[in-house]
Amino acid sequence: MFDDLSSRAEEHSSQSTRDRIWRVIFLSDTKSGKAFDILLLWIIGMSVFVVMLESVPTIQEHHRRLFVRLEWVFTILFTIEYIIRIWVVRNKKAYIFSFFGVVDLLSLIPTYLTLIIAGPQYLLVVRVLRLLRVFRILKMARHIGEANLLINAFRASFTKITVFLFLVLAVTLILGTMMYIVEGVIANNPGFSSIPQSVYWGIVTISTVGYGDVTPITVAGKVISTIIILIGYGTIAVPTGIVTAELNMNMAKIRPDKRICRECGHQGHDTKARYCKMCGTEL
Amino acid sequence: MFDDLSSRAEEHSSQSTRDRIWRVIFLSDTKSGKAFDILLLWIIGMSVFVVMLESVPTIQEHHRRLFVRLEWVFTILFTIEYIIRIWVVRNKKAYIFSFFGVVDLLSLIPTYLTLIIAGPQYLLVVRVLRLLRVFRILKMARHIGEANLLINAFRASFTKITVFLFLVLAVTLILGTMMYIVEGVIANNPGFSSIPQSVYWGIVTISTVGYGDVTPITVAGKVISTIIILIGYGTIAVPTGIVTAELNMNMAKIRPDKRICRECGHQGHDTKARYCKMCGTEL
Amino acid sequence: MFDDLSSRAEEHSSQSTRDRIWRVIFLSDTKSGKAFDILLLWIIGMSVFVVMLESVPTIQEHHRRLFVRLEWVFTILFTIEYIIRIWVVRNKKAYIFSFFGVVDLLSLIPTYLTLIIAGPQYLLVVRVLRLLRVFRILKMARHIGEANLLINAFRASFTKITVFLFLVLAVTLILGTMMYIVEGVIANNPGFSSIPQSVYWGIVTISTVGYGDVTPITVAGKVISTIIILIGYGTIAVPTGIVTAELNMNMAKIRPDKRICRECGHQGHDTKARYCKMCGTEL
Amino acid sequence: MFDDLSSRAEEHSSQSTRDRIWRVIFLSDTKSGKAFDILLLWIIGMSVFVVMLESVPTIQEHHRRLFVRLEWVFTILFTIEYIIRIWVVRNKKAYIFSFFGVVDLLSLIPTYLTLIIAGPQYLLVVRVLRLLRVFRILKMARHIGEANLLINAFRASFTKITVFLFLVLAVTLILGTMMYIVEGVIANNPGFSSIPQSVYWGIVTISTVGYGDVTPITVAGKVISTIIILIGYGTIAVPTGIVTAELNMNMAKIRPDKRICRECGHQGHDTKARYCKMCGTEL
């Protein structure tokens, strides 16, 4: 996500103005680059905060004008930034259709749309995705290793967790239908007026969220609830177990000793290894 | 579950029409077999979706006829499929009484029952179990190893989790009875009108679901609630710990290869290793 | 808990009638002993079930007489059993003051108390503790190793979890007091009418139970709620992590190879060990 | 936190009165020092309990005078203790600005403030932090190793959990805004009257707390709720996994002794091992 753009840093050794601006805006390996990124993050954070405040009725009544102005200030700033980004980057197409390119554009459109129709200003909250750039600054710091660890463990767990969620949803669907028959059809409980409604209740229950907006009123319904709760209680362990086991694997891999084989240069030996596992040379 | 039927694939090398159909319907190792399975999964998914929609009052009012027709279309399709399955399979008894044979039959009956009595069409939701065939397609892919891992860890954890749930239920029963005396008998809280009702509350609480349909109103009741919550908070760790530890074990077992060094007999080499890490002999 | 009584099994090789009865009642290593235990467990289960049903108003109204009779039947059976237990056991004092001796007595008293005063029959639910004898039968089976594993992991985790719960309670107390000031004193929210009440809310929240009987209504209260929720979300991991790590340790310990040193008879060597770690003999 | 003060214990071998008092108050390695600490903890616990009770309306009405007196007794006791602490400690500045020095002072001020203005007596609950001294007594016992383990695992997990919480908050913000548009703007659900309000709901939901004070009423709202619940269900595993993996690492590190075999240099022996398990040399 970040690398395709930043890896081109080396090519730009001859520093034209455009290249220097590119370095400041797209990278954070220089002092001014880091300062730009931190400033940008603050402005993005403030603009998201303004969108959130604007939605509060009591605040909006008294400060409507201020908010409209602030929104335009942020939008114009971000528009200028977006234009400069397109100007300085070499592969313009790659940037525009990259994840951050799309997010950058989506962060501008809603304000311009308010000129035509009312309402879409709340879509500006998509700007929070721009804050993900914070990870680019962190890249320079020690956090990147840990972020990678998380991402790797998550990716490795993904199919397992999906398989698991599918099974949980199948169980929820069947028990939800039973609840629809027992509570909705027989006892006329308004919270179980249809199967989708009962499945909503089932997911709220099996995940242990338990709003309480829909609750069983019959004895049979309470028995089925107890079963679905016990299933949820026993199975919430599964995704946790999956992620933990993956993290355990990854952490064990990352922290091994740093010996390098003198013959083949292989690194990443088992701590107990005496000989290189790639070429057989004594370590 | 899958293997008893599919392992017979090799016997059928002489390809009669019946055998070819059998291969398409029961296996997914050919292109047409896989296509059939994916088509079947889509139709099953749609038929389950129709059953769910049918239960929504506002939709049912306007489209009752459409739903009845769709249901019959799906049921007739599945009936034809069921008959073909019985025709092509060699050991008919084994299929009919297998898990999927029973589910296939149960997916048909409710619609035919609606000819005699009203109501059972919602039982058609059992069709969602037919979707479990999705794992047969996945068998061809890398998912099977991970599914096995999950199943093994779950099986190994089962008795431990059962012992644990029994202890939790015993604690819930005793504390629920105390709540019945404190809240139901003394304070006349309608939510604790009997011991089973109090136990229902106890399970909702200890599992951290917490609907809020039944809550303590007395000081003593709130103190007991706090105790049961702290027990739940401290013990939800246990099933998680069990599953995680099992997964850890299984993952550690599955990943390393089983090569043994001819020289020193060391086992537990890295999958990519070429030389024994203990004595340097080529593996 | 079990061993002090059952270890005496060997002494009783000369089989008097009393000793034979003792063997049947206290041990489950013979066919009749196991049969007696299973019969006892069923009767206990039924007696607990009767106590539960008796508390349901609609059932009690119609069958009051039946329940009173059933209760006396169970109580007289258990009284006879208790007297026989005291008669056959050699060290009577040890049995009477053991965990099960006390539970056996407590299971009888409430019924006799109903002759004098009304009400205590619900205390009979303490009989559920007698069901813990089920573990004595399981002792013969493979479950015992797993139960031990759980108990060991739990014992090892206990002080750590206690330290952790103390910290969580301290945080809950401070944030609960803040909520009392913000919601109870300033905003007059009836759910936060006192500090203990606010602490009750805090525990319900931080454990993710979330009844919803007490909820914040002010902005400041919702901000503090969010903080306490995020703390709970981040820390529920801790007891789980503790139990899992302990289980991991214990499982790794329990499953090692079964080699026994020829010299010193030490068992429990590391799988990779070549020499006995106690006496240095080659394994 | 503790060490900077207690490490100076050795210097004070010549025992003046002041030094003897210092030893009793600041350390717990002598009989009288331990007795003082336990007495202090009981008094602190009681003073916190009094502050809690004082906030209960029904209790306060009848015993207002008693509570005011008790509060002054505790405050004067703690003031004397605070003055003695400053008197006996050598590096007064270090104590006053240490964590416990600040907490000790904050535990006194609110009572004195009640002479000028009403209300701040509830701030006395900060005294619960003084209870953290309990860990100093435990230092003498085996608990310290386990506390360290917890602290290390927590510190190591901290950045990972922060990164994770940031991602969760970003997701909650975006889905919360969608809920604001769907439920608040379109369906006029009063619980989603602004974006901050919707984000509050999102955090209550994704953490599986689920108060139920704010719940979706539209179909689209329930679908988004289901998504946010499934995300929460799938991701609550992540902080648990992180803490567990860290604890696993730390426990593995702490337990094995650090002896190295003189012959083969193997490290990682069992604590009870007498001979090297790799070459049989006596350790």
Side-chain angles (χ1 to χ4, degrees), chain B residues 159 177 180 195 201 205 208-212 222 226 229 237 240-241 245-246 248, chain C residues 52 55 122 125 146 197 200 203 207-211 235 240 244 247-248 251 255:
Chain B
T159 44
T177 305
Y180 166 65
I195 294 180
W201 166 87
T205 299
T208 79
V209 170
Y211 284 135
K222 285 178 180 176
T226 303
I229 287 172
T240 310
E246 283 298 337
N248 256 342
Chain C
M52 286 179 72
S55 71
Y122 300 123
V125 90
E146 301 183 336
Q197 181 78 14
Y200 163 72
I203 288 170
S207 62
T208 79
V209 170
Y211 284 134
T235 55
T240 310
T244 308
L247 273 173
N248 257 342
M251 282 173 124
R255 298 206 187 164

mmCIF file of all heavy atoms in Angstrom, chain B residues 159 177 180 195 201 205 208-212 222 226 229 237 240-241 245-246 248, chain C residues 52 55 122 125 146 197 200 203 207-211 235 240 244 247-248 251 255:
data_model
loop_
_atom_site.group_PDB
_atom_site.id
_atom_site.type_symbol
_atom_site.label_atom_id
_atom_site.label_comp_id
_atom_site.label_asym_id
_atom_site.label_seq_id
_atom_site.Cartn_x
_atom_site.Cartn_y
_atom_site.Cartn_z
ATOM 1 N N THR B 159 -14.390 -32.402 25.969
ATOM 2 C CA THR B 159 -14.651 -32.881 27.335
ATOM 3 C C THR B 159 -14.255 -31.841 28.373
ATOM 4 O O THR B 159 -14.968 -31.639 29.343
ATOM 5 C CB THR B 159 -13.892 -34.196 27.631
ATOM 6 O OG1 THR B 159 -12.569 -34.074 27.132
ATOM 7 C CG2 THR B 159 -14.581 -35.373 26.981
ATOM 8 N N THR B 177 -30.598 -19.542 42.807
ATOM 9 C CA THR B 177 -31.550 -19.809 43.889
ATOM 10 C C THR B 177 -31.460 -18.729 44.964
ATOM 11 O O THR B 177 -32.483 -18.263 45.486
ATOM 12 C CB THR B 177 -31.273 -21.190 44.508
ATOM 13 O OG1 THR B 177 -31.301 -22.152 43.478
ATOM 14 C CG2 THR B 177 -32.321 -21.528 45.546
ATOM 15 N N TYR B 180 -33.315 -15.910 43.744
ATOM 16 C CA TYR B 180 -34.759 -16.163 43.824
ATOM 17 C C TYR B 180 -35.273 -15.822 45.222
ATOM 18 O O TYR B 180 -36.316 -15.177 45.376
ATOM 19 C CB TYR B 180 -35.057 -17.619 43.485
ATOM 20 C CG TYR B 180 -36.443 -18.060 43.859
ATOM 21 C CD1 TYR B 180 -37.559 -17.503 43.247
ATOM 22 C CD2 TYR B 180 -36.632 -19.009 44.860
ATOM 23 C CE1 TYR B 180 -38.835 -17.902 43.604
ATOM 24 C CE2 TYR B 180 -37.906 -19.411 45.220
ATOM 25 C CZ TYR B 180 -39.006 -18.846 44.596
ATOM 26 O OH TYR B 180 -40.268 -19.233 44.949
ATOM 27 N N ILE B 195 -37.225 -20.380 40.454
ATOM 28 C CA ILE B 195 -35.800 -20.726 40.343
ATOM 29 C C ILE B 195 -35.386 -20.865 38.878
ATOM 30 O O ILE B 195 -34.356 -20.315 38.485
ATOM 31 C CB ILE B 195 -35.473 -21.992 41.165
ATOM 32 C CG1 ILE B 195 -35.657 -21.687 42.666
ATOM 33 C CG2 ILE B 195 -34.048 -22.448 40.907
ATOM 34 C CD1 ILE B 195 -35.373 -22.872 43.574
ATOM 35 N N TRP B 201 -31.715 -15.957 34.262
ATOM 36 C CA TRP B 201 -31.021 -14.698 34.500
ATOM 37 C C TRP B 201 -29.529 -14.944 34.769
ATOM 38 O O TRP B 201 -28.667 -14.234 34.257
ATOM 39 C CB TRP B 201 -31.653 -13.953 35.695
ATOM 40 C CG TRP B 201 -30.811 -12.842 36.191
ATOM 41 C CD1 TRP B 201 -30.796 -11.554 35.739
ATOM 42 C CD2 TRP B 201 -29.828 -12.900 37.219
ATOM 43 N NE1 TRP B 201 -29.865 -10.826 36.432
ATOM 44 C CE2 TRP B 201 -29.268 -11.630 37.338
ATOM 45 C CE3 TRP B 201 -29.363 -13.934 38.054
ATOM 46 C CZ2 TRP B 201 -28.263 -11.340 38.261
ATOM 47 C CZ3 TRP B 201 -28.358 -13.651 38.965
ATOM 48 C CH2 TRP B 201 -27.829 -12.368 39.057
ATOM 49 N N THR B 205 -26.354 -13.584 32.648
ATOM 50 C CA THR B 205 -25.378 -12.708 33.289
ATOM 51 C C THR B 205 -23.967 -13.266 33.211
ATOM 52 O O THR B 205 -23.028 -12.569 32.819
ATOM 53 C CB THR B 205 -25.763 -12.486 34.766
ATOM 54 O OG1 THR B 205 -27.034 -11.867 34.803
ATOM 55 C CG2 THR B 205 -24.738 -11.613 35.466
ATOM 56 N N THR B 208 -22.023 -12.902 30.172
ATOM 57 C CA THR B 208 -21.847 -11.494 29.789
ATOM 58 C C THR B 208 -22.783 -11.064 28.660
ATOM 59 O O THR B 208 -22.533 -10.031 28.035
ATOM 60 C CB THR B 208 -20.387 -11.137 29.423
ATOM 61 O OG1 THR B 208 -20.100 -11.577 28.110
ATOM 62 C CG2 THR B 208 -19.384 -11.674 30.392
ATOM 63 N N VAL B 209 -23.873 -11.821 28.421
ATOM 64 C CA VAL B 209 -24.856 -11.352 27.435
ATOM 65 C C VAL B 209 -25.593 -10.132 28.004
ATOM 66 O O VAL B 209 -25.606 -9.059 27.417
ATOM 67 C CB VAL B 209 -25.858 -12.459 27.049
ATOM 68 C CG1 VAL B 209 -26.995 -11.891 26.227
ATOM 69 C CG2 VAL B 209 -25.142 -13.538 26.244
ATOM 70 N N GLY B 210 -26.196 -10.322 29.181
ATOM 71 C CA GLY B 210 -26.803 -9.194 29.895
ATOM 72 C C GLY B 210 -27.899 -8.478 29.136
ATOM 73 O O GLY B 210 -27.776 -7.300 28.832
ATOM 74 N N TYR B 211 -29.024 -9.179 28.852
ATOM 75 C CA TYR B 211 -30.141 -8.526 28.166
ATOM 76 C C TYR B 211 -30.621 -7.294 28.919
ATOM 77 O O TYR B 211 -30.868 -6.250 28.328
ATOM 78 C CB TYR B 211 -31.331 -9.482 28.054
ATOM 79 C CG TYR B 211 -31.178 -10.533 27.004
ATOM 80 C CD1 TYR B 211 -31.493 -11.846 27.266
ATOM 81 C CD2 TYR B 211 -30.740 -10.198 25.738
ATOM 82 C CE1 TYR B 211 -31.379 -12.815 26.302
ATOM 83 C CE2 TYR B 211 -30.631 -11.165 24.772
ATOM 84 C CZ TYR B 211 -30.947 -12.470 25.051
ATOM 85 O OH TYR B 211 -30.837 -13.415 24.095
ATOM 86 N N GLY B 212 -30.815 -7.455 30.226
ATOM 87 C CA GLY B 212 -31.397 -6.369 31.003
ATOM 88 C C GLY B 212 -32.897 -6.511 31.135
ATOM 89 O O GLY B 212 -33.541 -5.626 31.685
ATOM 90 N N LYS B 222 -27.939 -6.923 44.072
ATOM 91 C CA LYS B 222 -26.862 -6.323 43.288
ATOM 92 C C LYS B 222 -25.499 -6.848 43.714
ATOM 93 O O LYS B 222 -24.599 -7.003 42.889
ATOM 94 C CB LYS B 222 -26.925 -4.806 43.399
ATOM 95 C CG LYS B 222 -28.062 -4.254 42.549
ATOM 96 C CD LYS B 222 -28.239 -2.774 42.629
ATOM 97 C CE LYS B 222 -29.422 -2.395 41.731
ATOM 98 N NZ LYS B 222 -29.748 -0.977 41.795
ATOM 99 N N THR B 226 -22.965 -8.827 41.325
ATOM 100 C CA THR B 226 -21.558 -8.474 41.177
ATOM 101 C C THR B 226 -20.677 -9.710 41.307
ATOM 102 O O THR B 226 -19.732 -9.902 40.534
ATOM 103 C CB THR B 226 -21.172 -7.420 42.230
ATOM 104 O OG1 THR B 226 -22.040 -6.293 42.074
ATOM 105 C CG2 THR B 226 -19.738 -6.984 42.056
ATOM 106 N N ILE B 229 -21.047 -11.819 38.214
ATOM 107 C CA ILE B 229 -20.376 -11.164 37.087
ATOM 108 C C ILE B 229 -18.871 -11.366 37.187
ATOM 109 O O ILE B 229 -18.210 -11.701 36.200
ATOM 110 C CB ILE B 229 -20.709 -9.661 37.048
ATOM 111 C CG1 ILE B 229 -22.155 -9.460 36.587
ATOM 112 C CG2 ILE B 229 -19.752 -8.908 36.134
ATOM 113 C CD1 ILE B 229 -22.635 -8.032 36.710
ATOM 114 N N ALA B 237 -12.325 -16.829 30.569
ATOM 115 C CA ALA B 237 -10.978 -17.120 30.111
ATOM 116 C C ALA B 237 -10.759 -18.608 29.899
ATOM 117 O O ALA B 237 -9.963 -19.014 29.049
ATOM 118 C CB ALA B 237 -9.964 -16.596 31.129
ATOM 119 N N THR B 240 -11.627 -20.287 26.443
ATOM 120 C CA THR B 240 -10.680 -19.700 25.499
ATOM 121 C C THR B 240 -9.300 -20.303 25.664
ATOM 122 O O THR B 240 -8.644 -20.706 24.698
ATOM 123 C CB THR B 240 -10.598 -18.176 25.718
ATOM 124 O OG1 THR B 240 -11.915 -17.652 25.743
ATOM 125 C CG2 THR B 240 -9.801 -17.520 24.620
ATOM 126 N N GLY B 241 -8.870 -20.373 26.922
ATOM 127 C CA GLY B 241 -7.554 -20.939 27.201
ATOM 128 C C GLY B 241 -7.454 -22.365 26.693
ATOM 129 O O GLY B 241 -6.446 -22.758 26.093
ATOM 130 N N ALA B 245 -4.880 -23.428 23.755
ATOM 131 C CA ALA B 245 -3.791 -24.357 24.052
ATOM 132 C C ALA B 245 -3.843 -25.556 23.104
ATOM 133 O O ALA B 245 -2.815 -26.023 22.607
ATOM 134 C CB ALA B 245 -3.872 -24.795 25.506
ATOM 135 N N GLU B 246 -5.060 -26.049 22.823
ATOM 136 C CA GLU B 246 -5.219 -27.171 21.909
ATOM 137 C C GLU B 246 -4.762 -26.800 20.497
ATOM 138 O O GLU B 246 -4.045 -27.550 19.838
ATOM 139 C CB GLU B 246 -6.677 -27.638 21.862
ATOM 140 C CG GLU B 246 -7.117 -28.469 23.049
ATOM 141 C CD GLU B 246 -6.337 -29.762 23.181
ATOM 142 O OE1 GLU B 246 -5.784 -30.242 22.187
ATOM 143 O OE2 GLU B 246 -6.269 -30.276 24.296
ATOM 144 N N ASN B 248 -2.699 -24.473 19.674
ATOM 145 C CA ASN B 248 -1.244 -24.328 19.722
ATOM 146 C C ASN B 248 -0.561 -25.663 19.501
ATOM 147 O O ASN B 248 0.370 -25.789 18.714
ATOM 148 C CB ASN B 248 -0.831 -23.783 21.088
ATOM 149 C CG ASN B 248 -0.474 -22.321 21.018
ATOM 150 O OD1 ASN B 248 -0.224 -21.804 19.935
ATOM 151 N ND2 ASN B 248 -0.460 -21.669 22.146
ATOM 152 N N MET C 52 -36.420 -27.056 41.916
ATOM 153 C CA MET C 52 -36.555 -25.986 40.930
ATOM 154 C C MET C 52 -38.006 -25.827 40.484
ATOM 155 O O MET C 52 -38.536 -24.721 40.432
ATOM 156 C CB MET C 52 -35.665 -26.267 39.717
ATOM 157 C CG MET C 52 -34.185 -26.041 39.984
ATOM 158 S SD MET C 52 -33.182 -26.422 38.539
ATOM 159 C CE MET C 52 -33.582 -25.032 37.474
ATOM 160 N N SER C 55 -40.593 -24.138 42.752
ATOM 161 C CA SER C 55 -40.592 -22.685 42.909
ATOM 162 C C SER C 55 -41.427 -21.989 41.834
ATOM 163 O O SER C 55 -41.693 -20.798 41.929
ATOM 164 C CB SER C 55 -39.154 -22.156 42.855
ATOM 165 O OG SER C 55 -38.657 -22.254 41.532
ATOM 166 N N TYR C 122 -36.041 -24.132 49.686
ATOM 167 C CA TYR C 122 -35.253 -23.784 48.495
ATOM 168 C C TYR C 122 -33.762 -23.961 48.718
ATOM 169 O O TYR C 122 -33.002 -24.072 47.786
ATOM 170 C CB TYR C 122 -35.565 -22.356 48.056
ATOM 171 C CG TYR C 122 -37.023 -22.188 47.720
ATOM 172 C CD1 TYR C 122 -37.803 -21.251 48.356
ATOM 173 C CD2 TYR C 122 -37.616 -23.025 46.788
ATOM 174 C CE1 TYR C 122 -39.151 -21.136 48.076
ATOM 175 C CE2 TYR C 122 -38.964 -22.920 46.503
ATOM 176 C CZ TYR C 122 -39.735 -21.981 47.137
ATOM 177 O OH TYR C 122 -41.049 -21.885 46.856
ATOM 178 N N VAL C 125 -31.422 -26.695 47.231
ATOM 179 C CA VAL C 125 -30.700 -26.640 45.972
ATOM 180 C C VAL C 125 -29.209 -26.879 46.189
ATOM 181 O O VAL C 125 -28.468 -27.193 45.250
ATOM 182 C CB VAL C 125 -30.982 -25.290 45.271
ATOM 183 C CG1 VAL C 125 -29.984 -24.253 45.683
ATOM 184 C CG2 VAL C 125 -31.035 -25.460 43.779
ATOM 185 N N GLU C 146 -7.672 -34.475 32.430
ATOM 186 C CA GLU C 146 -8.071 -33.176 31.923
ATOM 187 C C GLU C 146 -8.600 -32.273 33.027
ATOM 188 O O GLU C 146 -8.360 -31.076 33.029
ATOM 189 C CB GLU C 146 -9.114 -33.373 30.825
ATOM 190 C CG GLU C 146 -8.524 -34.229 29.715
ATOM 191 C CD GLU C 146 -9.457 -34.410 28.553
ATOM 192 O OE1 GLU C 146 -10.664 -34.297 28.725
ATOM 193 O OE2 GLU C 146 -8.934 -34.643 27.455
ATOM 194 N N GLN C 197 -23.964 2.202 44.021
ATOM 195 C CA GLN C 197 -24.788 2.031 42.828
ATOM 196 C C GLN C 197 -23.968 2.268 41.554
ATOM 197 O O GLN C 197 -24.070 1.519 40.575
ATOM 198 C CB GLN C 197 -25.948 3.037 42.903
ATOM 199 C CG GLN C 197 -26.929 2.986 41.766
ATOM 200 C CD GLN C 197 -27.895 1.832 41.889
ATOM 201 O OE1 GLN C 197 -28.015 1.211 42.948
ATOM 202 N NE2 GLN C 197 -28.552 1.524 40.795
ATOM 203 N N TYR C 200 -21.611 -0.627 41.010
ATOM 204 C CA TYR C 200 -22.374 -1.732 40.415
ATOM 205 C C TYR C 200 -22.472 -1.534 38.902
ATOM 206 O O TYR C 200 -22.181 -2.447 38.113
ATOM 207 C CB TYR C 200 -23.768 -1.781 41.048
ATOM 208 C CG TYR C 200 -24.795 -2.576 40.282
ATOM 209 C CD1 TYR C 200 -24.752 -3.963 40.239
ATOM 210 C CD2 TYR C 200 -25.820 -1.932 39.600
ATOM 211 C CE1 TYR C 200 -25.705 -4.676 39.542
ATOM 212 C CE2 TYR C 200 -26.775 -2.642 38.903
ATOM 213 C CZ TYR C 200 -26.701 -4.017 38.872
ATOM 214 O OH TYR C 200 -27.637 -4.715 38.164
ATOM 215 N N ILE C 203 -19.074 -2.216 37.264
ATOM 216 C CA ILE C 203 -18.721 -3.626 37.113
ATOM 217 C C ILE C 203 -19.541 -4.254 35.990
ATOM 218 O O ILE C 203 -19.015 -5.026 35.183
ATOM 219 C CB ILE C 203 -18.908 -4.375 38.451
ATOM 220 C CG1 ILE C 203 -17.801 -3.944 39.413
ATOM 221 C CG2 ILE C 203 -18.884 -5.879 38.255
ATOM 222 C CD1 ILE C 203 -17.980 -4.409 40.822
ATOM 223 N N SER C 207 -17.221 -5.498 32.631
ATOM 224 C CA SER C 207 -17.244 -6.931 32.330
ATOM 225 C C SER C 207 -17.967 -7.210 31.022
ATOM 226 O O SER C 207 -18.119 -8.364 30.635
ATOM 227 C CB SER C 207 -17.941 -7.672 33.469
ATOM 228 O OG SER C 207 -19.282 -7.231 33.567
ATOM 229 N N THR C 208 -18.431 -6.166 30.325
ATOM 230 C CA THR C 208 -19.195 -6.255 29.067
ATOM 231 C C THR C 208 -20.537 -6.966 29.230
ATOM 232 O O THR C 208 -21.103 -7.416 28.239
ATOM 233 C CB THR C 208 -18.392 -6.921 27.924
ATOM 234 O OG1 THR C 208 -18.397 -8.318 28.094
ATOM 235 C CG2 THR C 208 -16.991 -6.407 27.829
ATOM 236 N N VAL C 209 -21.053 -7.065 30.486
ATOM 237 C CA VAL C 209 -22.402 -7.613 30.641
ATOM 238 C C VAL C 209 -23.415 -6.610 30.079
ATOM 239 O O VAL C 209 -24.208 -6.939 29.204
ATOM 240 C CB VAL C 209 -22.708 -7.947 32.120
ATOM 241 C CG1 VAL C 209 -24.179 -8.271 32.306
ATOM 242 C CG2 VAL C 209 -21.864 -9.120 32.574
ATOM 243 N N GLY C 210 -23.378 -5.384 30.606
ATOM 244 C CA GLY C 210 -24.198 -4.306 30.049
ATOM 245 C C GLY C 210 -25.684 -4.543 30.083
ATOM 246 O O GLY C 210 -26.311 -4.611 29.031
ATOM 247 N N TYR C 211 -26.271 -4.652 31.303
ATOM 248 C CA TYR C 211 -27.724 -4.851 31.402
ATOM 249 C C TYR C 211 -28.485 -3.738 30.688
ATOM 250 O O TYR C 211 -29.437 -3.989 29.971
ATOM 251 C CB TYR C 211 -28.170 -4.836 32.858
ATOM 252 C CG TYR C 211 -27.855 -6.086 33.605
ATOM 253 C CD1 TYR C 211 -27.297 -6.036 34.863
ATOM 254 C CD2 TYR C 211 -28.136 -7.323 33.063
ATOM 255 C CE1 TYR C 211 -27.028 -7.182 35.574
ATOM 256 C CE2 TYR C 211 -27.869 -8.475 33.769
ATOM 257 C CZ TYR C 211 -27.310 -8.402 35.028
ATOM 258 O OH TYR C 211 -27.047 -9.532 35.714
ATOM 259 N N THR C 235 -8.790 -5.085 28.609
ATOM 260 C CA THR C 235 -8.262 -5.870 29.720
ATOM 261 C C THR C 235 -8.911 -7.235 29.880
ATOM 262 O O THR C 235 -8.379 -8.072 30.589
ATOM 263 C CB THR C 235 -8.428 -5.114 31.048
ATOM 264 O OG1 THR C 235 -9.798 -4.777 31.204
ATOM 265 C CG2 THR C 235 -7.566 -3.880 31.084
ATOM 266 N N THR C 240 -7.775 -14.125 30.302
ATOM 267 C CA THR C 240 -7.702 -15.148 29.261
ATOM 268 C C THR C 240 -6.255 -15.497 28.968
ATOM 269 O O THR C 240 -5.879 -16.670 28.900
ATOM 270 C CB THR C 240 -8.378 -14.634 27.974
ATOM 271 O OG1 THR C 240 -9.655 -14.133 28.306
ATOM 272 C CG2 THR C 240 -8.510 -15.736 26.964
ATOM 273 N N THR C 244 -4.592 -19.161 29.521
ATOM 274 C CA THR C 244 -4.072 -19.840 28.339
ATOM 275 C C THR C 244 -2.598 -20.167 28.478
ATOM 276 O O THR C 244 -2.165 -21.286 28.189
ATOM 277 C CB THR C 244 -4.281 -18.962 27.091
ATOM 278 O OG1 THR C 244 -5.637 -18.568 27.032
ATOM 279 C CG2 THR C 244 -3.901 -19.713 25.840
ATOM 280 N N LEU C 247 -2.211 -23.036 30.847
ATOM 281 C CA LEU C 247 -2.622 -24.293 30.224
ATOM 282 C C LEU C 247 -1.571 -24.774 29.238
ATOM 283 O O LEU C 247 -1.245 -25.957 29.183
ATOM 284 C CB LEU C 247 -3.960 -24.114 29.493
ATOM 285 C CG LEU C 247 -5.207 -24.310 30.333
ATOM 286 C CD1 LEU C 247 -6.428 -23.926 29.537
ATOM 287 C CD2 LEU C 247 -5.323 -25.757 30.782
ATOM 288 N N ASN C 248 -1.037 -23.831 28.464
ATOM 289 C CA ASN C 248 0.021 -24.147 27.513
ATOM 290 C C ASN C 248 1.180 -24.832 28.207
ATOM 291 O O ASN C 248 1.695 -25.844 27.758
ATOM 292 C CB ASN C 248 0.539 -22.864 26.861
ATOM 293 C CG ASN C 248 0.010 -22.704 25.458
ATOM 294 O OD1 ASN C 248 -0.449 -23.666 24.861
ATOM 295 N ND2 ASN C 248 0.070 -21.506 24.939
ATOM 296 N N MET C 251 0.099 -28.330 29.565
ATOM 297 C CA MET C 251 -0.080 -29.331 28.526
ATOM 298 C C MET C 251 1.267 -29.790 27.990
ATOM 299 O O MET C 251 1.470 -30.968 27.729
ATOM 300 C CB MET C 251 -0.914 -28.755 27.392
ATOM 301 C CG MET C 251 -2.375 -28.738 27.757
ATOM 302 S SD MET C 251 -3.291 -27.888 26.491
ATOM 303 C CE MET C 251 -4.464 -29.155 26.075
ATOM 304 N N ARG C 255 2.340 -33.961 28.306
ATOM 305 C CA ARG C 255 2.455 -34.849 27.161
ATOM 306 C C ARG C 255 3.863 -35.290 26.769
ATOM 307 O O ARG C 255 4.054 -35.781 25.671
ATOM 308 C CB ARG C 255 1.803 -34.170 25.939
ATOM 309 C CG ARG C 255 0.327 -33.918 26.162
ATOM 310 C CD ARG C 255 -0.413 -33.870 24.866
ATOM 311 N NE ARG C 255 -1.789 -33.460 25.106
ATOM 312 C CZ ARG C 255 -2.618 -33.037 24.186
ATOM 313 N NH1 ARG C 255 -2.205 -32.957 22.938
ATOM 314 N NH2 ARG C 255 -3.844 -32.676 24.468
#
